[in-house]
Amino acid sequence: MKKIVEVLPDQAALIQRSRDVVLTKIQEAIQRSGRCTLALAGGGTPKPLYEALASQDLPWDKLHIFWGDERYVPADHPDSNQAMARQAWLDHVDIPATNIHPMPTDGESPEADASKHDAQLGDFFGVAPDQFPQFDLILLGIGDDAHTASLFPHTQALQVGDRRVTVGNKDGQPRITFTVPLINQAHCVMFLVAGAQKQPALAQIFAADADPFTYPARLIQPQGELWWLLDQQAGQAVKG
Ligand code: 6PG
């Protein structure tokens, strides 16, 4: 694993730098395999990045968009990660509808929809049920509790090792989420973190020793590149 940690002076610089890294990773993936598979993060921090990407002209037919996790709400719900990314970015660009691969949330149960998306990933990547395909780029954030995607502290989802997609649990609220082994198979994982309130979580994530089941972002150790892009406020926690 190659780890890159950058602390940017402010939020505007964080968004500009993350945009440039994302654009570079998209180009590298297309040169490598003729397409790019990009999984998006939810929450508030990446929204200005998606808005910045909306003004970029990209080879849309070669870009496939997925989500690392989703709230178990309808696709047009204000809390939907899919809805946020569509409104901020995807609705404004000429990407084929078939290149957008949202997590289903309209089936009979979260478990059924997690299995459905697991199978959808298998079909898309052409791999067997027990295999973990390699995403080109997975964007992640962290919560104040050091959760990432919908992998929350001391939840069952953290232990899932035989599936690509599982059900997350945020205080009893179901979520659909990529599993740790799927995320760690990625070519590149990029964390985007902003704000002083994230300092305690970052301090534990970057600590020499801390329990990964209490601080789940510690479980993210991809076989490829791991980028941490932090703004000044968040970055105070990792400055030596
Ligand atoms: C979600 C996310 C989640 C998010 C963190 C940080 O669906 O909520 O995928 O993991 O990245 O909760 O959220 P903020 O960026 O809003 O602080």
Side-chain angles (χ1 to χ4, degrees), residues 42-56:
T45 307
K47 187 175 180 193
L49 165 63
Y50 303 153
E51 288 163 346
L53 291 167
S55 58
Q56 299 295 314

Side-chain angles (χ1 to χ4, degrees), residues 40-46 69-71 81 140-144 147-150 152 175 192 194 197-198:
L40 304 182
T45 307
D69 74 316
E70 185 59 276
R71 291 89 180 268
N81 288 338
L140 293 173
I142 60 163
D144 298 359
H147 81 262
T148 190
S150 282
F152 292 92
R175 301 271 191 102
L192 205 58
Q197 78 280 8
K198 300 288 172 69

Side-chain angles (χ1 to χ4, degrees), residues 110-176:
E111 291 71 19
D113 279 327
S115 302
K116 179 178 176 184
H117 198 53
D118 189 292
Q120 288 170 334
L121 294 182
D123 294 344
F124 177 85
F125 285 98
V127 296
D130 62 349
Q131 288 188 300
F132 294 96
Q134 186 174 45
F135 275 86
D136 293 301
L137 178 58
I138 298 180
L139 303 181
L140 293 173
I142 60 163
D144 298 359
D145 61 358
H147 81 262
T148 190
S150 282
L151 300 165
F152 292 92
H154 304 292
T155 58
Q156 215 185 341
L158 302 180
Q159 316 255 8
V160 173
D162 61 350
R163 271 159 287 154
R164 300 174 277 245
V165 182
T166 192
V167 177
N169 176 348
K170 177 178 171 56
D171 310 327
Q173 291 299 314
R175 301 271 191 102
I176 309 287

